[in-house]
Amino acid sequence: MTNPASPEPQAIRERYARRATSDPRYSLLNPAALHAWQERQRAIVRLFVRLGFSDLAQLRLLEVGSGTGGNLLDFLRMGFAPDHLGGIELLPERHDTARRCLPPAVTLELGDATAMLLPEASHDIVFQSTVFSSLLDDAFQQRLADTMWSAVKPGGGVLWYDFTVDNPRNRDVRGVPLARVRQLFPHARMQSQRVTLAPPLARALSRVHPALCGMANALPVLRTHVLAWLEKRAAGDDGRRVEIQKSV
């Protein structure tokens, strides 16, 4: 159930207001950021292949925390149909940027996803990228997870990308370890893999030579993020919990 009185949405707005509007560390002109983006794209495509998603244009995907629309643009390039894509964003300025960048057929909503009446079992994929690490209220995290899970069709799943370790230099975020992901989605079958070379290390190595990022990223212990598929069992499933963890 939603809680309209929750202070977390306003707290999120205040946290984002403290951030730089344009941080060159996350620009694709930065070799470290480019490496992380390319690695994540490859990992998502490999996951879709393993799941047997042969025709992405037939799948419906909703991104919670769609920001300025960059991730939805990536899904368009992968082959998703614009009229099967949607996004929900809390911050008006980010929502407005996404609306200018994305095709009109992409559905974009402004507001708190937990306060919206999302149709149940309406999407094959519900995606989040570094949203939960920006939520510091455990109860609100769970409400958002429940909202996302409700919108997933049986046989579909939540596509999750977030970091697992705390950033001691940024009190506005916190890592979301796999144990917490399991708590948030207790009925899901999980496939997960560690991705993304620790950003401070990646930036330092890329200043020496961009190829060093790929070499260091070969060591899973140096990766700080998780890409996970949280599957909702389809009708007729035997109900056995399956969890697959991949390091590469």
Side-chain angles (χ1 to χ4, degrees):
M1 300 295 291
T2 61
N3 179 6
S6 172
E8 187 65 7
Q10 180 56 34
I12 294 167
R13 296 183 184 96
E14 293 169 0
R15 290 173 204 138
Y16 271 88
R18 290 194 287 267
R19 300 182 185 182
T21 56
S22 180
D23 192 330
R25 293 178 300 174
Y26 303 111
S27 167
L28 293 184
L29 298 177
N30 183 321
L34 179 62
H35 177 272
W37 174 73
Q38 291 174 329
E39 182 210 11
R40 189 181 75 169
Q41 297 309 104
R42 289 193 296 268
I44 290 175
V45 168
R46 288 195 298 265
L47 172 62
F48 287 166
V49 171
R50 289 200 305 272
L51 294 172
F53 293 167
S54 58
D55 187 358
L56 298 179
Q58 299 303 313
L59 301 179
R60 293 191 174 274
L61 182 147
L62 173 68
E63 181 178 10
V64 174
S66 48
T68 57
N71 294 323
L72 292 173
L73 281 172
D74 290 338
F75 287 123
L76 283 171
R77 295 187 187 100
M78 287 182 193
F80 285 84
D83 56 341
H84 285 179
L85 286 178
I88 302 173
E89 173 56 37
L90 180 66
L91 305 178
E93 62 277 10
R94 294 165 68 86
H95 167 81
D96 292 345
T97 298
R99 185 68 286 169
R100 291 193 298 270
C101 294
L102 290 164
V106 176
T107 301
L108 297 177
E109 300 286 347
L110 175 63
D112 172 6
T114 68
M116 295 181 181
L117 297 176
L118 300 180
E120 291 189 10
S122 55
H123 291 79
D124 302 284
I125 302 169
V126 178
F127 176 59
Q128 81 86 21
S129 174
T130 62
V131 170
F132 278 72
S133 51
S134 295
L135 305 178
L136 304 187
D137 182 277
D138 287 346
F140 190 84
Q141 274 192 344
Q142 188 63 67
R143 284 195 294 276
L144 182 57
D146 292 344
T147 299
M148 293 169 63
W149 188 248
S150 176
V152 174
K153 296 179 180 179
V158 170
L159 181 60
W160 173 283
Y161 174 78
D162 221 321
F163 55 86
T164 62
V165 296
D166 291 338
N167 182 348
R169 297 183 178 180
N170 187 350
R171 295 183 179 180
D172 287 342
V173 297
R174 60 175 177 173
V176 187
L178 273 177
R180 176 58 176 160
V181 180
R182 296 187 191 100
Q183 290 177 346
L184 292 168
F185 299 95
H187 303 295
R189 288 175 168 178
M190 180 188 291
Q191 298 184 39
S192 66
Q193 64 180 104
R194 296 180 67 88
V195 293
T196 309
L197 181 66
L201 177 59
R203 289 190 286 268
L205 292 175
S206 68
R207 286 193 289 268
V208 179
H209 196 286
L212 294 175
C213 290
M215 297 172 62
N217 199 43
L219 299 174
V221 70
L222 299 180
R223 303 173 193 165
T224 52
H225 292 55
V226 159
L227 178 70
W229 175 250
L230 302 154
E231 182 183 355
K232 180 182 283 189
R233 292 193 297 268
D237 196 296
D238 62 10
R240 290 177 297 174
R241 181 180 179 88
V242 176
E243 183 163 320
I244 302 172
Q245 293 193 23
K246 294 175 66 66
S247 60
V248 295

